[in-house]
């Protein structure tokens, strides 16, 4: 896939979401629901959050894509998540997984283990989470020691192998967030830069990226959807940072930019492409 | 009721809420609690959210009005909502219902069905929700086919009959949100314009309107409370829109305007009045 | 302890939190989680919210400090809170308690009663809450009648005795929020002024203060942590108020100031000190 084609797909995906107003319902943590929903609306999508099993089944049937983020589990997730996963598979509905909190708590570990049988269309996490998920699913035992590092370019590189293995296993795409972000389908490795240090000074920017990626997954295939989400975040954050000097006003400007930014400008954001060896 | 009397009542209600700081506790969805509470505080009220049955009973006894929004149900709502409804009836406490999500999920349907025996003082929803509630309660089977339309002036008109039937059934008021909003007690039909397209680009503006309407229901009779909530939203949103070009900064300005706007200016917002034939 | 030493400690604590990025996980109400987390990040800390018992046990073991706020109880808190309290004691992990909602609901009363056996390192509440907690724990029956007053300088004074008794009982510190805030370890009484009336026109400023105090409790002893939290809030709010004329834009500026404000400027905020007689 040439860079030119990728850039055209990014622009088309941004425009399609704005035109189609796709609904991407979420099971997501209670901390950042407002940010996730407002980010989804800002890029042209529609949001709905829910907790109950039968709602998960209905949403999996009627919505074009879902977003799952197990950041703040409550006891009834033990029933909601499995039933939603079964329905997602039954109706072949694409979904984005944020493996936040992986390794923390028995229920979360159990639910992430179950997901191996219901592979997410797109996995969006930081390097440690991606490595931990590949390890939990028994796909890559060699990188065990690096799980607890902080996010950095090095760490994204450290997660490159796990990301590729996960993408090949799921048949979808994986996005690894860091200073330089990595998006891969296991065959091609795309690196995206930009963004802002303020994204890590506000809560939920990773969650919001997952939710926006689900909006794009409703109108594009996995690699393009994952790439478009990451790139519009990098582009809008870089613009917002120029307008502010502190995190709360950055967040307002960032959401504004997600809404206002020109699709062609998003598509021109820096990209670096490597093919798998 | 003449237009002049209505305008006087709107101004008085805005001023009363600012002077009295009434508490309107909420059972409301987790996505937009922050927005609901901040909107309630901005108009001079006080906010409290809760989940447990005995808290619903106590709140129904001590608070001057409640707000119920079943947007994100959790399993224990199966006990909290019925016990709260019984207490609201026992203590004759006014409450505002937002029938969001109607038709979605078994528990929500069951709870909305139970509410027929505990009629809300004010129902605030979009046209589809108002039509669906009238149908669910067996009050208006003729408008079934129009439930899934998007909000528009036409759709508000389509919900006019259902709104009137619901208002007569409850003995309270119904507010239908749309491009032109409708407020009715079944006898008089008041249309309010203004607002901003940005209200639909941020999550929870309908929820926030429900919460603010509950604040006004603590200090005014149902028709006036519903009207004042809708009109201050239209007025503040129109002011905020002039100061911004994107949704996140609009939300900040909108909340600021709810706080700052002159009560007399709210009362001068465009109104159109029709009597029932 | 001289005023000069206190001011040095405040400055050092602000700087330490910015340098160390301590994690202070929370069990806190769903309404204000976004505000709590963003305030914690703004002062240099890290945030994580959770609901499940085994997560509470793990967090109590690995985190340097926790924040407990029982504002919106759900049924499973009946297990999460006791198990978390036992783990906090076992691992001698400091934690900040916000006794919000005290006296409201059976479960909350039961949980607050249990906490007497697991004394919080810092208690941060308004005057009524502090008086009510001292009474609930059978430590101060003489001030019963004043529980329902609104916050005011008088009320903070009315809570002075209860605050001192609680601090002596827990061996930690107590912060009472009001027009003039009081921080005490039972031996010294420090009064801090500043702040802004807008703090009471936005939801969750008390919760956010509790969360920020927990960040400071991860890097300082209780009295200094409680004092630093209160003083940076007073200082940042006073700065933010000068830049705005309404609550929503105040909130944005306030969070920005928490992030930007110079540690030396925080340490220069007005203080008044009294020793116990």
């Amino acid at each position: 896939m040439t860079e030119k084609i990728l850039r055209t797909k990014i622009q088309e995906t941004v425009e399609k979401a704005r035109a189609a107003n796709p609904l991407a319902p979420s099971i997501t943590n209670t901390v950042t629901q407002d940010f996730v929903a407002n980010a989804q609306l800002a890029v042209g999508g529609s949001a709905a959050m829910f907790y109950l099993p039968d709602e998960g089944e209905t949403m999996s049937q009627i919505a074009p894509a879902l977003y799952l983020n197990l950041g703040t589990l409550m006891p009834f997730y033990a029933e909601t998540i499995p039933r939603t996963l079964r329905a997602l598979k039954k109706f072949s509905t694409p979904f984005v997984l944020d493996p936040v909190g992986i390794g923390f708590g028995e229920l979360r570990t159990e639910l992430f283990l179950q997901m191996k049988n219901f592979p997410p269309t797109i996995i969006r996490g930081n390097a440690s989470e991606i490595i931990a998920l590949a390890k939990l699913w028994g796909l890559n035992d060699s990188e065990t020691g690096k799980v607890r590092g902080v996010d950095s370019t090095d760490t994204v590189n450290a997660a490159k192998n796990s990301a590729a293995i996960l993408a090949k296993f799921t048949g979808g795409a994986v996005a690894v967030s860091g200073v330089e972000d990595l998006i891969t389908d296991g065959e091609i490795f795309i690196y995206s830069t930009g963004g802002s240090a303020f994204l890590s000074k506000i809560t939920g920017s990773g969650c919001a990226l997952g939710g926006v990626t689900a909006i794009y997954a409703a109108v594009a295939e996995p690699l393009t959807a994952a790439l478009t989400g990451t790139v519009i975040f990098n582009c809008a954050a870089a613009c917002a940072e120029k307008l502010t000097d502190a995190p709360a006003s950055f967040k307002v400007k960032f959401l504004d930019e997600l809404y206002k930014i020109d699709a062609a400008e998003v598509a021109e954001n820096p990209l670096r492409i490597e093919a798998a060896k």
Side-chain angles (χ1 to χ4, degrees), chain A residues 195-196 198 235-258 260-261 265:
Chain A
S196 164
F198 283 132
C235 197
C239 289
E241 191 182 65
K242 288 176 198 155
L243 304 170
T244 56
D245 65 346
S249 52
F250 168 81
K251 183 180 171 182
V252 173
K253 296 289 182 189
F254 171 65
L255 283 168
D256 281 355
E257 290 296 324
L258 282 182
K260 288 194 290 182
I261 202 162
E265 191 182 338

Side-chain angles (χ1 to χ4, degrees), chain A residues 198-214:
Chain A
F198 283 132
L199 284 173
S200 64
K201 300 303 291 180
I202 56 174
T203 193
S205 46
C207 311
L209 174 52
V212 163
T213 299

Side-chain angles (χ1 to χ4, degrees), chain A residues 119-165:
Chain A
T121 316
I122 297 170
I123 301 167
R124 203 288 328 162
N126 67 33
S128 304
E129 292 159 356
I130 296 301
I131 293 169
L133 187 63
K135 181 170 178 282
L136 187 72
W137 286 355
L139 302 174
N140 187 16
D141 287 338
S142 63
E143 285 171 341
T144 311
K146 294 172 187 174
V147 175
R148 290 194 174 275
V150 292
D151 249 15
S152 72
T153 304
D154 283 324
T155 315
V156 167
N157 280 337
K160 186 180 172 182
N161 195 32
S162 290
I165 289 168

Side-chain angles (χ1 to χ4, degrees), chain A residues 1-103:
Chain A
M1 197 143 32
T2 68
E3 187 183 317
K4 197 181 162 189
I5 292 173
L6 284 174
R7 291 189 185 283
T8 302
K9 282 173 182 254
I10 292 170
Q11 181 168 346
E12 284 172 359
T13 303
V14 171
E15 289 167 348
K16 265 189 210 168
R18 286 176 177 169
N21 186 223
L23 172 69
S26 302
I27 302 176
T28 188
N29 70 76
T30 56
V31 182
T32 66
Q33 288 180 328
D34 173 87
F35 191 11
V36 171
N38 277 317
Q40 291 181 313
L41 268 61
V43 300
S46 192
M49 274 72 177
F50 66 92
Y51 295 103
L52 298 182
D54 68 330
E55 299 179 0
E57 291 164 343
T58 304
M59 285 300 193
S60 299
Q61 185 170 7
I62 64 171
L66 261 73
Y67 174 49
L68 302 191
N69 173 312
L70 309 188
T72 54
L73 294 178
M74 296 193 243
F76 42 87
Y77 281 58
E79 188 181 353
T80 300
I81 299 294
R83 285 176 57 181
T84 302
L85 289 171
R86 282 197 289 274
L88 286 164
K89 192 171 197 172
K90 180 180 177 188
F91 298 108
S92 301
T93 303
F95 73 102
V96 177
L97 172 69
D98 187 326
V100 59
I102 187 161

Side-chain angles (χ1 to χ4, degrees), chain A residues 208-226:
Chain A
L209 174 52
V212 163
T213 299
I215 295 293
Y216 292 136
V219 297
E221 39 75 39
L223 185 72
T224 299

